[in-house]
Amino acid sequence: GENVEQHPSTLSVQEGDSAVIKCTYSDSASNYFPWYKQELGKGPQLIIDIRSNVGEKKDQRIAVTLNKTAKHFSLHITETQPEDSAVYFCAASEKGGSEKLVFGKGTKLTVNP
Amino acid sequence: IAGITQAPTSQILAAGRRMTLRCTQDMRHNAMYWYRQDLGLGLRLIHYSNTAGTTGKGEVPDGYSVSRANTDDFPLTLASAVPSQTSVYFCASSALAGGFSEQFFGPGTRLTVL
């Protein structure tokens, strides 16, 4: 089955700097790659996703890139703000007739004011 | 719109006891999921359901059972709880209407098994 590796496990940046989180996946059949943000005490919430027919997608300060050949994808947050502090999870779709996802182990991002 | 509700918010349970975690969604989503979240291990799928009346096993199904009698409800049962089932449990749902769609998560249930 699919395996997703996520790095780094923790990331600390200064406010205004950029943050990059990287993930690799094992199954070349995966075609959907979402990123979720989890704030303390809450459930994860989708912030951006990308499908295998697209190489890059942006939404304001957030962007995701996908390299299908290398089987890796990355989350880029520019001009970080303290409210970006959270745990971020990448995920990759599992093949089959469902919408099952395999998640990475998460990255705890701290943005220092 | 409530989205997904879970109950209870938290629970302390003696080992060997039976426990059912409740999950209800009001979005008329076809698919529902149960995950457990443990520190350093991320989110792991326990069971899922693509539609009412069907269920499937995820990555870590042992010790858990689910049912999907209708579209809205997807309870998770621990028949005889063990301390290794101490975790935060999240229920999620997605439309499953052709192509991958967003999974919406509930607020979670924190379960401690002593």
Side-chain angles (χ1 to χ4, degrees):
Chain A
E2 176 67 277
N3 182 52
V4 176
E5 299 285 340
Q6 182 172 346
H7 299 280
S9 57
T10 61
L11 180 60
S12 182
V13 299
Q14 288 299 122
E15 182 177 358
D17 287 350
S18 295
V20 180
I21 303 170
K22 299 181 179 181
C23 290
T24 60
Y25 61 99
S26 61
D27 189 351
S28 57
S30 293
N31 58 10
Y32 176 66
F33 307 92
W35 286 88
Y36 284 81
K37 176 183 181 182
Q38 185 178 29
E39 297 177 343
L40 195 62
K42 296 184 178 180
Q45 187 171 13
L46 180 74
I47 54 171
I48 195 167
D49 56 17
I50 191 168
R51 301 176 193 273
S52 59
N53 59 347
V54 175
E56 183 176 3
K57 184 177 180 181
K58 290 184 180 180
D59 183 3
Q60 298 183 345
R61 297 186 295 108
I62 295 173
V64 57
T65 59
L66 172 64
N67 183 326
K68 287 176 56 181
T69 303
K71 289 189 282 188
H72 67 70
F73 55 113
S74 301
L75 178 71
H76 304 254
I77 306 174
T78 60
E79 301 173 21
T80 54
Q81 301 168 4
E83 51 264 39
D84 294 329
S85 296
V87 179
Y88 292 81
F89 293 96
C90 64
S93 60
E94 282 211 275
K95 58 186 174 185
S98 71
E99 293 184 331
K100 289 189 294 179
L101 299 172
V102 176
F103 284 83
K105 290 180 170 55
T107 297
K108 183 177 181 181
L109 173 65
T110 302
V111 180
N112 302 299
Chain B
I1 297 177
I4 295 184
T5 57
Q6 292 184 236
T9 301
S10 65
Q11 183 74 45
I12 299 174
L13 190 67
R17 297 297 295 268
R18 180 184 179 90
M19 176 73 190
T20 295
L21 307 185
R22 300 185 298 278
C23 174
T24 300
Q25 54 108 354
D26 64 1
M27 296 174 282
R28 306 303 294 172
H29 282 170
N30 288 312
M32 297 187 74
Y33 314 85
W34 274 106
Y35 294 90
R36 60 177 290 172
Q37 184 175 32
D38 303 291
L39 194 63
L41 295 178
L43 293 155
R44 293 182 292 168
L45 184 66
I46 305 170
H47 285 288
Y48 68 97
S49 169
N50 284 342
T51 188
T54 68
T55 61
K57 293 181 179 180
E59 180 185 354
V60 288
D62 294 343
Y64 305 95
S65 64
V66 292
S67 62
R68 187 88 183 277
N70 57 60
T71 298
D72 299 343
D73 302 300
F74 191 43
L76 176 74
T77 297
L78 290 67
S80 179
V82 296
S84 61
Q85 292 177 311
T86 293
S87 188
V88 180
Y89 291 86
F90 287 99
C91 180
S93 71
S94 67
L96 190 57
F100 274 88
S101 59
E102 178 179 357
Q103 285 191 18
F104 292 84
F105 284 80
T109 293
R110 182 174 294 275
L111 182 66
T112 303
V113 183
L114 301 176

